[in-house]
Amino acid sequence: MSEAPGVSARTKQDAEPQHQRDWSWVETSIWTPRMLTALEHGVKGGKWFSLIDKITSATTLHSAWTKVRRKDGKAAGVDKQGIEHFAAKAETYLQELEEALKTGTYRPQAVRRVELPKDGGGVRPLGIPTVKDRMVQTAAKLALEPIFEHLFLPCSYGFRPGRSGKDALRDVNQKLQAGYHWVVDADLQGYFDSIPHDRLMERVSEQISDGRVLELLRSWLKQDVLHGMKRWTPTGGSPQGAVISPLLANIYLHPLDALLTNKGYQMVRYADDFVVLCRSQQEAEQALTLIREWVSDNGLTLHPDKTHIGNCLEKGQGFDFLGYRFEARRRWVRKKSMQRLKDKIRSKTGRSRGNSLACIIADLNPMLRGWFNYFKHARRTTFRAIDGFVRRRLRAILRRQNKRSGFGYCLNDHKRWPNAFFAERGLFTLTTAHAKASQSRS
């Protein structure tokens, strides 16, 4: 097999008018009009030098802190310092961090590892860096992301500015409607934990020639991991949960995007989840062979049980992608996505919960709205089923709070607390939201 194109590889698709970049999202204190012009037309030598001063400037660190404070979760790293603790002395900590970065004394701390249950069994490892490390990673991302965004292709949607899972699903729908019914559904096994460090840094180095920036990236890849009483230094991978990891993950898979695009295949990728849509079984088999070779040559592994080819027009040969099931000219919410939502609803509606109904509804509504906004194109029956499930859970709480005898669902409960009762108290209902959305589209 010929050598796969590197990060700097360009394709015919790059030159198309619709591939023009929107740079309105960049950090203007770093990416001035002069720098953006250089980005669009190419820098001398094809590599970027002297970027460390952009990352370590007080302005960039303040911008990074603003983003971390606004978007980050409350989970603390190994130093047990959360967002609120940092905020109390933010200016002092920012000055200390700036000094450490400029003098070269900054060292990232270990990543605290937690394990989240996966839908199909097993666990998903999540790394939680300290607040300070999140900030420095955010500063680095502000400086580096536009350089690689300039190279990334339209087939990639995950963790990219101005792109979303909805966009990826829309692309899949369009390709299916255009007759690409044979689908290669590929799954990279343990992708984030298996990215080879040396090869990843080689791809970063194709664009970045600032030694201090490269060393900063290496220090995050080699951060110790702390899980309970165990501590180790990873030899590969980039921890899920780290701010910089999605960008690095996209950098490593960009050559695969370029390879398949150059070969004329219709690929849609969201992070490590991707499908290749083809017009025939032969084309799909050739695409899978190409993918297998690239994956093997690049130190990765395809999941043997989750990678397959199918004609999604046929019942039983569909595929799952970003929470949906595509099969036999239909699309619906996959069972695992429904189960995950129900588990979240259960966690917020335990019968022994002592909060008022108003508090419980206020807790439920943001989650239900977010779920609807993503799955608003699901079947109407899906929304009715979820609404019914939520109201049954709430009636059980009210039954308990009213000290009514018996357990479970009572036939009279829906009369005592009808659907209108919950609507009057502001409960978000997916059925109503779907009806309003349908009216606005008509």
Side-chain angles (χ1 to χ4, degrees), residues 19 21 148-154 160 247 250-251 254:
H19 197 55
R21 303 296 186 182
F148 294 97
E149 271 297 316
H150 183 60
L151 302 172
F152 291 161
L153 302 179
R160 294 184 58 191
L247 175 59
N250 276 331
I251 289 171
H254 171 71

Side-chain angles (χ1 to χ4, degrees), residues 63 149 256:
S63 297
E149 271 297 316
L256 177 61

Side-chain angles (χ1 to χ4, degrees), residues 26-45:
V26 302
E27 184 64 32
T28 55
S29 63
I30 299 175
W31 287 95
T32 61
R34 180 172 171 271
M35 284 189 68
L36 287 174
T37 298
L39 181 62
E40 291 285 3
H41 294 92
V43 291
K44 186 177 180 180

Side-chain angles (χ1 to χ4, degrees), residues 52 75 102 111 115 121 155 170 180 193 225 251 256 285 293 296 306 313 350 384 399 405:
I52 191 65
K102 289 183 174 179
V111 173
E115 294 181 339
C155 63
R170 189 178 300 113
Y180 295 91
D193 281 341
V225 178
I251 289 171
L256 177 61
E285 289 173 348
E293 291 176 349
S296 176
K306 297 182 180 180
L313 294 180
R384 285 202 296 266
R399 186 177 181 82
S405 60

